[in-house]
PDB file of all heavy atoms in Angstrom:
ATOM      1  N   VAL E  69      -0.477   0.695   5.986  1.00  0.00           N
ATOM      2  CA  VAL E  69      -1.742   0.081   5.567  1.00  0.00           C
ATOM      3  C   VAL E  69      -2.885   0.600   6.430  1.00  0.00           C
ATOM      4  O   VAL E  69      -3.952   0.941   5.914  1.00  0.00           O
ATOM      5  CB  VAL E  69      -1.645  -1.462   5.635  1.00  0.00           C
ATOM      6  CG1 VAL E  69      -3.016  -2.108   5.508  1.00  0.00           C
ATOM      7  CG2 VAL E  69      -0.703  -1.984   4.561  1.00  0.00           C
ATOM      8  N   LEU E  70      -2.663   0.672   7.736  1.00  0.00           N
ATOM      9  CA  LEU E  70      -3.710   1.176   8.632  1.00  0.00           C
ATOM     10  C   LEU E  70      -4.046   2.632   8.329  1.00  0.00           C
ATOM     11  O   LEU E  70      -5.219   3.027   8.349  1.00  0.00           O
ATOM     12  CB  LEU E  70      -3.288   1.002  10.092  1.00  0.00           C
ATOM     13  CG  LEU E  70      -3.200  -0.448  10.574  1.00  0.00           C
ATOM     14  CD1 LEU E  70      -2.597  -0.508  11.966  1.00  0.00           C
ATOM     15  CD2 LEU E  70      -4.543  -1.133  10.517  1.00  0.00           C
ATOM     16  N   GLU E  71      -3.044   3.434   8.030  1.00  0.00           N
ATOM     17  CA  GLU E  71      -3.288   4.832   7.660  1.00  0.00           C
ATOM     18  C   GLU E  71      -4.101   4.910   6.375  1.00  0.00           C
ATOM     19  O   GLU E  71      -5.026   5.716   6.259  1.00  0.00           O
ATOM     20  CB  GLU E  71      -1.973   5.581   7.498  1.00  0.00           C
ATOM     21  CG  GLU E  71      -1.265   5.872   8.797  1.00  0.00           C
ATOM     22  CD  GLU E  71       0.108   6.501   8.589  1.00  0.00           C
ATOM     23  OE1 GLU E  71       0.407   6.975   7.474  1.00  0.00           O
ATOM     24  OE2 GLU E  71       0.880   6.523   9.560  1.00  0.00           O
ATOM     25  N   HIS E  72      -3.751   4.053   5.408  1.00  0.00           N
ATOM     26  CA  HIS E  72      -4.495   4.039   4.145  1.00  0.00           C
ATOM     27  C   HIS E  72      -5.934   3.592   4.360  1.00  0.00           C
ATOM     28  O   HIS E  72      -6.840   4.080   3.687  1.00  0.00           O
ATOM     29  CB  HIS E  72      -3.815   3.144   3.108  1.00  0.00           C
ATOM     30  CG  HIS E  72      -2.540   3.708   2.585  1.00  0.00           C
ATOM     31  ND1 HIS E  72      -2.453   4.934   1.970  1.00  0.00           N
ATOM     32  CD2 HIS E  72      -1.286   3.222   2.579  1.00  0.00           C
ATOM     33  CE1 HIS E  72      -1.211   5.177   1.620  1.00  0.00           C
ATOM     34  NE2 HIS E  72      -0.482   4.155   1.994  1.00  0.00           N
ATOM     35  N   ARG E  73      -6.149   2.674   5.303  1.00  0.00           N
ATOM     36  CA  ARG E  73      -7.520   2.267   5.625  1.00  0.00           C
ATOM     37  C   ARG E  73      -8.322   3.460   6.108  1.00  0.00           C
ATOM     38  O   ARG E  73      -9.482   3.635   5.720  1.00  0.00           O
ATOM     39  CB  ARG E  73      -7.524   1.205   6.732  1.00  0.00           C
ATOM     40  CG  ARG E  73      -7.299  -0.175   6.271  1.00  0.00           C
ATOM     41  CD  ARG E  73      -7.474  -1.118   7.448  1.00  0.00           C
ATOM     42  NE  ARG E  73      -7.010  -2.451   7.128  1.00  0.00           N
ATOM     43  CZ  ARG E  73      -6.866  -3.397   8.029  1.00  0.00           C
ATOM     44  NH1 ARG E  73      -7.145  -3.156   9.297  1.00  0.00           N
ATOM     45  NH2 ARG E  73      -6.447  -4.591   7.675  1.00  0.00           N
ATOM     46  N   GLN E  74      -7.718   4.267   6.968  1.00  0.00           N
ATOM     47  CA  GLN E  74      -8.428   5.439   7.487  1.00  0.00           C
ATOM     48  C   GLN E  74      -8.767   6.403   6.358  1.00  0.00           C
ATOM     49  O   GLN E  74      -9.881   6.927   6.303  1.00  0.00           O
ATOM     50  CB  GLN E  74      -7.582   6.148   8.546  1.00  0.00           C
ATOM     51  CG  GLN E  74      -7.454   5.376   9.823  1.00  0.00           C
ATOM     52  CD  GLN E  74      -6.500   6.051  10.802  1.00  0.00           C
ATOM     53  OE1 GLN E  74      -5.719   6.916  10.436  1.00  0.00           O
ATOM     54  NE2 GLN E  74      -6.579   5.643  12.061  1.00  0.00           N
ATOM     55  N   VAL E  75      -7.838   6.628   5.461  1.00  0.00           N
ATOM     56  CA  VAL E  75      -8.091   7.516   4.324  1.00  0.00           C
ATOM     57  C   VAL E  75      -9.200   6.934   3.463  1.00  0.00           C
ATOM     58  O   VAL E  75     -10.114   7.643   3.033  1.00  0.00           O
ATOM     59  CB  VAL E  75      -6.803   7.731   3.497  1.00  0.00           C
ATOM     60  CG1 VAL E  75      -7.099   8.424   2.184  1.00  0.00           C
ATOM     61  CG2 VAL E  75      -5.784   8.518   4.310  1.00  0.00           C
ATOM     62  N   ARG E  76      -9.136   5.638   3.210  1.00  0.00           N
ATOM     63  CA  ARG E  76     -10.133   4.972   2.383  1.00  0.00           C
ATOM     64  C   ARG E  76     -11.518   5.075   3.029  1.00  0.00           C
ATOM     65  O   ARG E  76     -12.505   5.355   2.347  1.00  0.00           O
ATOM     66  CB  ARG E  76      -9.718   3.508   2.199  1.00  0.00           C
ATOM     67  CG  ARG E  76     -10.470   2.773   1.148  1.00  0.00           C
ATOM     68  CD  ARG E  76      -9.881   1.405   0.831  1.00  0.00           C
ATOM     69  NE  ARG E  76      -9.551   0.642   2.008  1.00  0.00           N
ATOM     70  CZ  ARG E  76      -8.371   0.089   2.241  1.00  0.00           C
ATOM     71  NH1 ARG E  76      -7.401   0.204   1.376  1.00  0.00           N
ATOM     72  NH2 ARG E  76      -8.152  -0.615   3.337  1.00  0.00           N
ATOM     73  N   GLU E  77     -11.585   4.866   4.339  1.00  0.00           N
ATOM     74  CA  GLU E  77     -12.863   4.968   5.033  1.00  0.00           C
ATOM     75  C   GLU E  77     -13.428   6.383   4.942  1.00  0.00           C
ATOM     76  O   GLU E  77     -14.630   6.565   4.723  1.00  0.00           O
ATOM     77  CB  GLU E  77     -12.701   4.550   6.494  1.00  0.00           C
ATOM     78  CG  GLU E  77     -12.507   3.067   6.671  1.00  0.00           C
ATOM     79  CD  GLU E  77     -12.072   2.680   8.073  1.00  0.00           C
ATOM     80  OE1 GLU E  77     -12.024   3.572   8.961  1.00  0.00           O
ATOM     81  OE2 GLU E  77     -11.771   1.496   8.280  1.00  0.00           O
ATOM     82  N   ARG E  78     -12.570   7.357   5.102  1.00  0.00           N
ATOM     83  CA  ARG E  78     -13.027   8.746   4.983  1.00  0.00           C
ATOM     84  C   ARG E  78     -13.507   9.028   3.567  1.00  0.00           C
ATOM     85  O   ARG E  78     -14.502   9.723   3.345  1.00  0.00           O
ATOM     86  CB  ARG E  78     -11.911   9.701   5.373  1.00  0.00           C
ATOM     87  CG  ARG E  78     -11.598   9.634   6.864  1.00  0.00           C
ATOM     88  CD  ARG E  78     -10.392  10.405   7.223  1.00  0.00           C
ATOM     89  NE  ARG E  78     -10.674  11.833   7.169  1.00  0.00           N
ATOM     90  CZ  ARG E  78      -9.761  12.759   7.289  1.00  0.00           C
ATOM     91  NH1 ARG E  78      -8.495  12.430   7.492  1.00  0.00           N
ATOM     92  NH2 ARG E  78     -10.077  14.027   7.229  1.00  0.00           N
ATOM     93  N   PHE E  79     -12.810   8.477   2.587  1.00  0.00           N
ATOM     94  CA  PHE E  79     -13.197   8.662   1.194  1.00  0.00           C
ATOM     95  C   PHE E  79     -14.565   8.032   0.938  1.00  0.00           C
ATOM     96  O   PHE E  79     -15.427   8.638   0.307  1.00  0.00           O
ATOM     97  CB  PHE E  79     -12.145   8.050   0.266  1.00  0.00           C
ATOM     98  CG  PHE E  79     -12.507   8.154  -1.171  1.00  0.00           C
ATOM     99  CD1 PHE E  79     -12.321   9.339  -1.861  1.00  0.00           C
ATOM    100  CD2 PHE E  79     -13.048   7.076  -1.843  1.00  0.00           C
ATOM    101  CE1 PHE E  79     -12.669   9.443  -3.191  1.00  0.00           C
ATOM    102  CE2 PHE E  79     -13.402   7.167  -3.173  1.00  0.00           C
ATOM    103  CZ  PHE E  79     -13.209   8.352  -3.850  1.00  0.00           C
TER     104      PHE E  79
END
Side-chain angles (χ1 to χ4, degrees):
V69 167
L70 292 172
E71 287 175 15
H72 289 302
R73 277 186 191 170
Q74 290 175 344
V75 169
R76 193 170 46 233
E77 288 168 6
R78 291 172 73 188
F79 178 79

